[in-house]
Amino acid sequence: MPTEFLHGLYDGGAGAGLDDYWKLMGHERLSAGGFLWSLVDEGIVRDDLDGTIDVAGNAAPDGILGPFREKEAGFYTIKDIWSPVQLAEQERFTYRPIPPDARADGNGYTVQAEYSGVLRHVRWRLHPSGWLQLDYRYDLTGEHHLFGVGFDHPESRVTGVTWLGHWPHRVWKNRLCGVATDVWTKQHNDTATGADGWVYPEFKGYHAGVRWASLHTTAGRITMVSEDENLYLRLFTPRFGPTLAIPRRLPEGRPVVPRRHPGRRHQVRRTVRARPQRRPHHGDGRLRSNPVLLVLPVAPPPPRRRRTMRAGPLPTGAAHRCSTSLSRGVRLLPRP
């Protein structure tokens, strides 16, 4: 029975990688299980620091339960993998959320560009319905932890997200168990799991099985729809607490629509070869997207100005003068 064979520090283990270990243990005749570190965050509230939860750097966090017993993502993964009842085949369904007239012929507008780098081709088509269709193609070979395209949007203008997909929690390549498919909504937060913020589920990170998503912004909602149920949606860049085991660098900022995303590295051991789900993805050349459809917020029309014509001296020979108001109508005044 290995002790502390997975470490939950800063969302860096516990549920992430457990499926690989548990399958290996399940095939060993003498295996009797193991111990994860740890169950709960072990910080204390410091009155001398304005109520801050002090976890002594990286010495006291990070359990699968938060300081107020909030269930982190690893909790649901462990519950699923260690459940005594397992389904041999998960139920699946087909969902095609493409608007009926999104591909109709009509007076649409198309802009496309060819590139000479990894990204080879991009085409935007504005349909008469208002949907904006994105098609892209890129060439990528070799091993990579992340495949996908990103969009520029300032995080300061994002307030939340609603989507149809797995979980309200973020996922990693080696932590996909325990999810539930539903329509989820969460507000923006900047939680660094086990370090500060303490708002769960975390807003930033990778989201799996996304059929459609609506990003709430101060300008309105940006809605994305795709036929590809294997797409992931990454919302900005997660923060992590202070630790000697630096997480693999993720692309900064921007929302990303990756076809493949990375696994979470163990915070204590570098055991890539021992954990198949953590290994990089392999690119074999040309990758083409299924259409991604977006609808962008439309700027509201400017408010109607209240216009008033004030009465005043009329030019010589004028018969009347009037005072006109949008709310009072028109009244005629006697000639001076």
Side-chain angles (χ1 to χ4, degrees), residues 4 7 9-10 37-38 40-44 54-63 194-195 241-244:
E4 202 172 320
H7 195 292
L9 181 61
Y10 303 140
W37 194 89
S38 62
V40 297
D41 289 349
E42 299 168 351
I44 60 173
D54 185 2
V55 291
N58 63 358
D62 170 29
T243 175
L244 296 178

Side-chain angles (χ1 to χ4, degrees), residues 149-171:
V149 297
F151 300 87
D152 291 325
H153 193 281
E155 183 181 343
S156 61
R157 299 180 185 176
V158 174
T159 61
V161 65
T162 299
W163 78 102
L164 171 61
H166 299 333
W167 251 355
H169 294 273
R170 67 185 181 205
V171 301

Side-chain angles (χ1 to χ4, degrees), residues 118-190:
V118 173
L119 183 63
R120 308 296 300 211
H121 172 81
V122 173
R123 184 181 69 179
W124 292 96
R125 176 169 173 77
L126 179 61
H127 293 274
S129 61
W131 285 90
L132 187 63
Q133 179 177 325
L134 168 64
D135 296 271
Y136 59 88
R137 188 183 75 246
Y138 56 90
D139 293 344
L140 201 61
T141 59
E143 292 187 340
H144 303 271
H145 285 276
L146 178 67
F147 295 178
V149 297
F151 300 87
D152 291 325
H153 193 281
E155 183 181 343
S156 61
R157 299 180 185 176
V158 174
T159 61
V161 65
T162 299
W163 78 102
L164 171 61
H166 299 333
W167 251 355
H169 294 273
R170 67 185 181 205
V171 301
W172 300 102
K173 177 175 177 283
N174 52 354
R175 192 184 68 200
L176 296 173
C177 297
V179 302
T181 302
D182 208 332
V183 175
W184 309 98
T185 295
K186 58 182 176 181
Q187 302 305 310
H188 178 274
N189 64 69
D190 193 29

Side-chain angles (χ1 to χ4, degrees), residues 6-7 15 26 35 73 75 110 112 123 145-147 159 179 247 256 259-260 269-270 279 301 305 316:
L6 280 176
H7 195 292
F35 294 90
F75 174 91
T110 300
Q112 60 184 9
R123 184 181 69 179
H145 285 276
L146 178 67
F147 295 178
T159 61
V179 302
V256 176
R259 295 183 66 87
R260 300 290 184 268
R269 305 174 184 85
R270 296 183 179 180
R279 292 173 182 166
R305 297 178 58 186
T316 303

Side-chain angles (χ1 to χ4, degrees), residues 4-328:
E4 202 172 320
F5 71 96
L6 280 176
H7 195 292
L9 181 61
Y10 303 140
D11 200 31
L18 178 61
D19 195 37
D20 281 335
Y21 277 103
W22 199 242
K23 288 176 180 176
L24 181 63
M25 292 176 178
H27 288 86
E28 296 296 328
R29 185 171 60 87
L30 299 180
S31 175
F35 294 90
L36 305 176
W37 194 89
S38 62
L39 178 62
V40 297
D41 289 349
E42 299 168 351
I44 60 173
V45 176
R46 294 279 300 272
D47 291 338
D48 58 330
L49 296 177
D50 296 324
T52 300
I53 298 176
D54 185 2
V55 291
N58 63 358
D62 170 29
I64 61 172
L65 298 178
F68 300 103
R69 303 306 186 263
E70 307 96 327
K71 296 179 177 66
E72 297 182 8
F75 174 91
Y76 297 98
T77 300
I78 296 168
K79 178 182 177 181
D80 182 17
I81 295 173
W82 282 359
S83 172
V85 177
Q86 297 287 330
L87 297 178
E89 183 176 350
Q90 298 291 333
E91 181 179 356
R92 299 182 61 83
F93 67 93
T94 300
Y95 186 83
R96 294 175 59 84
I98 303 302
D101 61 339
R103 295 185 180 181
D105 294 331
N107 297 321
Y109 297 89
T110 300
V111 176
Q112 60 184 9
E114 304 290 334
Y115 301 94
S116 58
V118 173
L119 183 63
R120 308 296 300 211
H121 172 81
V122 173
R123 184 181 69 179
W124 292 96
R125 176 169 173 77
L126 179 61
H127 293 274
S129 61
W131 285 90
L132 187 63
Q133 179 177 325
L134 168 64
D135 296 271
Y136 59 88
R137 188 183 75 246
Y138 56 90
D139 293 344
L140 201 61
T141 59
E143 292 187 340
H144 303 271
H145 285 276
L146 178 67
F147 295 178
V149 297
F151 300 87
D152 291 325
H153 193 281
E155 183 181 343
S156 61
R157 299 180 185 176
V158 174
T159 61
V161 65
T162 299
W163 78 102
L164 171 61
H166 299 333
W167 251 355
H169 294 273
R170 67 185 181 205
V171 301
W172 300 102
K173 177 175 177 283
N174 52 354
R175 192 184 68 200
L176 296 173
C177 297
V179 302
T181 302
D182 208 332
V183 175
W184 309 98
T185 295
K186 58 182 176 181
Q187 302 305 310
H188 178 274
N189 64 69
D190 193 29
T191 294
T193 309
D196 61 70
W198 317 109
V199 178
Y200 298 104
E202 304 92 337
F203 182 81
K204 301 178 185 179
Y206 295 90
H207 298 73
V210 177
R211 273 67 167 184
W212 60 261
S214 184
L215 195 65
H216 308 177
T217 76
T218 54
R221 294 197 176 193
I222 301 174
T223 300
M224 181 197 76
V225 180
S226 176
E227 297 181 33
D228 190 349
E229 64 180 33
N230 294 316
L231 277 184
Y232 296 86
L233 174 64
R234 200 199 83 188
L235 297 175
F236 305 102
T237 304
R239 288 195 308 117
F240 300 97
T243 175
L244 296 178
I246 304 299
R248 181 172 299 279
R249 181 175 176 82
L250 299 175
E252 291 296 329
R254 69 187 61 181
V256 176
V257 182
R259 295 183 66 87
R260 300 290 184 268
H261 70 300
R264 191 69 172 93
R265 195 179 77 186
H266 196 288
Q267 295 293 328
V268 179
R269 305 174 184 85
R270 296 183 179 180
T271 53
V272 174
R273 286 180 295 177
R275 302 167 67 184
Q277 293 182 12
R278 176 63 184 83
R279 292 173 182 166
H281 305 283
H282 182 76
D284 56 3
R286 179 169 296 183
L287 298 171
R288 184 185 299 271
S289 74
N290 283 327
V292 177
L293 296 171
L294 301 101
V295 60
L296 307 179
V298 178
R304 296 184 60 182
R305 297 178 58 186
R306 183 187 179 98
R307 302 181 61 186
T308 301
M309 298 177 62
R310 294 178 299 174
L314 295 178
T316 303
H320 296 86
R321 63 185 175 90
C322 65
S323 173
T324 305
S325 169
L326 294 178
S327 59
R328 292 182 298 172

